[in-house]
Amino acid sequence: MRVLGIDPGLTRCGVGVVDGSVGRPLTMVDVGVVRTSSGLPIAERLVTIEKGLDAWIEEHRPDAVAVERVFARSDSSTIMGTAQASGIALVVAARRGLPIAMHTPSEVKAAVSGNGRADKAQVGAMVVRILRLTELPKPADAADALALAITHLWRGSASNRLEAAVARAKTQQSQQTPVRTR
Amino acid sequence: MRVLGIDPGLTRCGVGVVDGSVGRPLTMVDVGVVRTSSGLPIAERLVTIEKGLDAWIEEHRPDAVAVERVFARSDSSTIMGTAQASGIALVVAARRGLPIAMHTPSEVKAAVSGNGRADKAQVGAMVVRILRLTELPKPADAADALALAITHLWRGSASNRLEAAVARAKTQQSQQTPVRTR
């Protein structure tokens, strides 16, 4: 299973592609950022992000997309741009019918490092170990996108198996349901 | 000049089309909302908004699009969805190369009613008068979209004339600049 992690942002949108299957080590396929210039109108920047993310999906054909969930409680001045960029990421993935998951920063920290309050350095060190890299990709947005993809592969595989089991159970149940007659 | 006003929202995205030219009364062409169900995943809702807004542009062929500027300081629980919807609105317009303006709620109030702190009822009453309607379109998001379009036609035409004058002046200046020789 191949997952594209997206850490949305208006200036730097982190993107990371990770391959994984149950019981095997995860592999980094590619990592980078989609950048837009702060000097351009916001609408143009969002179109650049749309095209950039579309190109990543086109090239790497992920089976699922994991996007960081953005919260209003963040008091950053860039939060509106981040929310807009996340909206574009969701649309780009949904238009292609890809399964989408959103993970909060603390879910990512917990999945990758075992601690929902881990700091950036701890999460980064674990990303390097999990993907057997020689160093942490830069900028931080790129590394965060990899952490999102790892989170999705680890959390997603459990919930995917659960969903598959539920779907099987429902199919069996419907097959057992006697046909009603008037 | 035809302007499409968009009041972004995840559940109801207000849309209003207004025709106007200098020295003539404005005319409402169409008004409505693009709705999405709160029961659907957010990515699907954003795709519905994208398709809905695209269909409005396709049908009415506006010369410009006016989108409400969203602020983080709003403490509404829906602010993230509103920001994401506004991002989609900007991308849909920018992809088609349409000029885009963003107006704040107080700019809209000031333009339509002459008072940047006017309440909803005052702004609504002015929208009815300006467009010579028999009643205010509902829901409020639809009426707000008309107010945005009016704002753009009135503010935009002034700044457009200014820009045109500046461009003319620059052209004249460059024509007067003597050709430099070594």
Side-chain angles (χ1 to χ4, degrees):
Chain A
M1 184 183 185
R2 174 167 292 185
V3 175
L4 169 65
I6 302 176
D7 181 29
L10 201 50
T11 303
R12 285 180 305 275
C13 204
V15 274
V17 183
V18 178
D19 276 352
S21 51
V22 178
R24 290 200 152 200
L26 305 184
T27 316
M28 183 180 84
V29 178
D30 203 352
V31 66
V33 285
V34 175
R35 289 177 197 271
T36 75
S37 162
S38 60
L40 294 175
I42 192 166
E44 276 182 48
R45 301 177 73 182
L46 292 171
V47 170
T48 303
I49 290 170
E50 181 189 33
K51 287 182 184 160
L53 295 179
D54 234 7
W56 273 77
I57 292 178
E58 190 64 32
E59 183 178 349
H60 293 293
R61 305 273 170 185
D63 302 301
V65 175
V67 182
E68 185 171 304
R69 193 183 290 277
V70 187
F71 289 103
R73 68 164 176 262
S74 161
D75 49 9
S76 153
S77 65
T78 60
I79 187 67
M80 288 292 102
T82 305
Q84 291 175 321
S86 81
I88 304 308
L90 295 174
V91 159
V92 166
R95 269 200 309 239
R96 290 172 177 258
L98 291 171
I100 300 165
M102 283 186 277
H103 302 289
T104 66
S106 56
E107 283 170 355
V108 172
K109 288 173 183 172
V112 172
S113 75
N115 171 8
R117 297 184 175 199
D119 62 22
K120 281 260 173 203
Q122 288 173 296
V123 173
M126 285 306 297
V127 166
V128 168
R129 270 181 66 178
I130 293 165
L131 299 175
R132 291 154 297 136
L133 307 175
T134 50
E135 58 178 353
L136 189 65
K138 289 178 185 171
D141 316 79
D144 288 348
L146 291 175
L148 269 159
I150 295 169
T151 301
H152 188 70
L153 281 159
W154 283 355
R155 287 176 62 105
S157 62
S159 71
N160 289 348
R161 285 198 298 274
L162 182 64
E163 280 170 23
V166 169
R168 269 198 309 277
K170 279 188 181 165
T171 311
Q172 286 167 358
Q173 197 178 40
S174 69
Q175 284 167 347
Q176 287 163 4
T177 306
V179 176
R180 284 176 191 231
T181 52
R182 288 177 187 236
Chain B
M1 184 184 186
R2 175 169 291 187
V3 175
L4 169 64
I6 302 176
D7 182 29
L10 201 51
T11 304
R12 285 180 304 275
C13 205
V15 274
V17 183
V18 177
D19 275 353
S21 51
V22 178
R24 290 199 152 202
L26 304 184
T27 316
M28 183 180 85
V29 177
D30 203 352
V31 65
V33 285
V34 175
R35 288 176 198 273
T36 77
S37 162
S38 59
L40 294 175
I42 191 165
E44 277 183 48
R45 301 176 73 183
L46 292 171
V47 171
T48 303
I49 290 170
E50 182 189 33
K51 287 182 184 161
L53 295 179
D54 234 6
W56 273 77
I57 292 178
E58 189 64 33
E59 183 178 348
H60 293 293
R61 306 274 169 182
D63 302 300
V65 175
V67 181
E68 185 170 304
R69 191 182 290 277
V70 187
F71 288 103
R73 67 163 179 262
S74 162
D75 50 9
S76 152
S77 63
T78 60
I79 188 68
M80 286 293 102
T82 304
Q84 290 174 322
S86 80
I88 304 309
L90 295 174
V91 160
V92 166
R95 270 200 310 240
R96 291 174 177 256
L98 291 171
I100 300 166
M102 283 186 276
H103 303 288
T104 66
S106 56
E107 283 170 354
V108 172
K109 287 172 184 173
V112 173
S113 76
N115 171 8
R117 298 183 173 201
D119 61 23
K120 281 260 175 204
Q122 288 173 296
V123 173
M126 284 307 295
V127 167
V128 169
R129 270 181 67 179
I130 293 165
L131 299 175
R132 290 153 297 134
L133 308 175
T134 50
E135 58 177 354
L136 189 65
K138 290 179 186 171
D141 317 78
D144 288 347
L146 291 175
L148 270 158
I150 294 169
T151 300
H152 188 69
L153 280 159
W154 283 355
R155 287 176 62 104
S157 61
S159 71
N160 288 350
R161 285 199 297 274
L162 182 64
E163 279 169 23
V166 169
R168 270 198 307 278
K170 279 187 181 166
T171 311
Q172 286 167 359
Q173 197 176 39
S174 69
Q175 285 168 348
Q176 287 164 5
T177 306
V179 177
R180 283 175 194 234
T181 52
R182 287 175 190 237

